[in-house]
């Protein structure tokens, strides 16, 4: 009976280590600078469409120490009532932002936005369901 108990504990430990190393590997893929490809996914047609805009979309950088940069500056310091903070955490395909800029003289409307959902993170391509917004595609800068 004792041998069975030890065997079960060992199996749980191995599974736990395997899951941790997989989630770390995914986060390592996230670390780096990401530029927009100017493509937006249309859920009704299930196709990617090019965005025609006169305004440059921001680049994002996720650092290994949990910081987020937007156009090479702390993301959360860019504007009041922003949706992206200066820090992030990544777990189970979800990027959650924190450390938002506090704007004492501005009344921000509460908008339910709990982060970005990573739909694809393979090689140098990342597809995220952004909040607010739609599903955007980014390419990693090498």
């Amino acid at each position: 009976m004792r041998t069975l108990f030890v065997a079960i504990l060992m199996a749980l430990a191995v599974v736990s280590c395997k899951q941790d190393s997989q989630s770390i590997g995914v986060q390592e893929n996230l670390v780096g600078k990401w530029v927009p490809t100017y493509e937006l996914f249309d859920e009704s047609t299930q196709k990617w469409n090019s965005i025609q805009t006169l305004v440059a979309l921001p680049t994002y950088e996720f650092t290994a120490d949990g910081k987020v940069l937007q156009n090479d500056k702390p993301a959360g310091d860019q504007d009041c009532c922003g949706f992206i903070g200066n820090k992030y955490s990544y777990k189970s395909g979800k990027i959650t932002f924190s450390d938002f800029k506090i704007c004492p003289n501005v009344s921000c409307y509460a908008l339910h936005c709990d982060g970005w959902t990573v739909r694809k993170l393979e090689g140098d391509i990342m597809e995220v369901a952004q909040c607010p917004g739609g599903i955007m595609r980014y390419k990693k800068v090498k």
Side-chain angles (χ1 to χ4, degrees):
M1 188 67 160
R2 180 182 165 122
T3 306
L4 178 62
F5 179 72
V6 171
I8 290 172
L9 284 178
M10 293 296 286
L12 288 174
V14 169
V15 169
S16 175
C17 289
K18 195 175 216 179
Q19 288 173 347
D20 286 346
S21 67
Q22 288 173 346
S23 64
I24 290 170
V26 172
Q27 186 172 1
E28 287 175 0
N29 289 343
L30 180 63
V31 172
K33 186 180 272 191
W34 296 90
V35 296
T37 62
Y38 291 85
E39 296 172 285
L40 182 66
F41 188 72
D42 184 339
E43 299 222 40
S44 64
T45 63
Q46 297 293 300
K47 293 184 180 179
W48 289 95
N49 296 317
S50 294
I51 299 171
Q52 304 300 320
T53 180
L54 298 175
V55 178
L57 297 175
T59 62
Y60 294 101
E61 183 173 353
F62 297 94
T63 67
D65 61 351
K67 294 180 183 170
V68 185
L69 303 176
Q70 179 178 320
N71 296 329
D72 300 319
K73 297 176 184 159
D77 291 349
Q78 303 280 327
D79 62 324
C80 286
C81 304
F83 299 101
I84 300 173
N86 289 321
K87 295 182 181 177
Y88 78 97
S89 61
Y90 181 88
K91 185 174 182 182
S92 302
K94 185 83 165 183
I95 301 170
T96 305
F97 298 102
S98 61
D99 192 24
F100 294 91
K101 182 176 183 179
I102 297 171
C103 303
N105 298 323
V106 177
S107 177
C108 300
Y109 291 105
L111 182 67
H112 181 68
C113 185
D114 62 351
W116 293 355
T117 301
V118 178
R119 293 174 49 113
K120 179 179 181 180
L121 184 57
E122 296 175 5
D124 64 347
I125 297 294
M126 176 174 65
E127 297 171 2
V128 292
Q130 295 178 318
C131 179
I135 302 169
M136 295 285 297
R137 184 180 280 163
Y138 290 86
K139 185 171 176 75
K140 195 176 220 178
V141 176
K142 295 186 180 194

